[in-house]
């Protein structure tokens, strides 16, 4: 999942499947450019934790960042990317 996110172009809409508690949700995110970083990688404002059979744990979401503004929260589990 991290490899897929890293290959995304900034400003291209993604649909992320997440699990929050017992609920599954789809959230649309439009990554931006990483400020102050050379290259053209996307920025989501997410710090990831461990990968499990359920998906990739979101440890932290940067306040007012791309992910937070889209509705992602710490402890969500990323399950899919479209």
């Amino acid at each position: 999942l991290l490899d897929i996110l890293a290959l995304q172009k900034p400003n291209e809409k993604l649909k992320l499947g997440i699990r929050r508690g017992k609920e599954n949700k789809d959230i649309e995110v439009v990554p931006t450019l990483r400020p102050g970083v050379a290259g053209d990688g996307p920025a989501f404002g997410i710090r990831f934790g461990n990968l499990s059979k359920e998906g990739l744990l979101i440890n932290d979401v940067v306040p007012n960042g791309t992910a937070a503004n889209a509705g992602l929260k710490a402890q969500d589990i990323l399950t899919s990317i479209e």
Side-chain angles (χ1 to χ4, degrees):
L1 291 172
L2 285 175
D3 290 339
I4 294 170
L5 287 175
L7 293 173
Q8 298 305 309
K9 292 186 166 94
N11 302 315
E12 286 188 2
K13 189 183 298 185
L14 295 173
K15 185 165 72 171
L16 304 180
I18 64 156
R19 184 170 185 84
R20 182 175 293 155
K22 294 182 180 181
E23 183 181 3
N24 292 317
K25 295 181 133 190
D26 289 327
I27 294 181
E28 289 187 349
V29 176
V30 179
T32 58
L33 285 173
R34 283 184 244 172
V37 176
D40 58 357
F44 294 92
I46 301 172
R47 290 188 197 105
F48 290 103
N50 295 326
L51 178 63
S52 71
K53 64 181 180 176
E54 292 182 32
L56 186 59
L57 176 67
I58 297 175
N59 272 350
D60 193 23
V61 178
V62 175
N64 299 315
T66 301
N69 291 340
L72 290 167
K73 298 180 179 182
Q75 303 306 308
D76 285 345
I77 298 173
L78 179 61
T79 58
S80 66
I81 302 169
E82 294 180 35

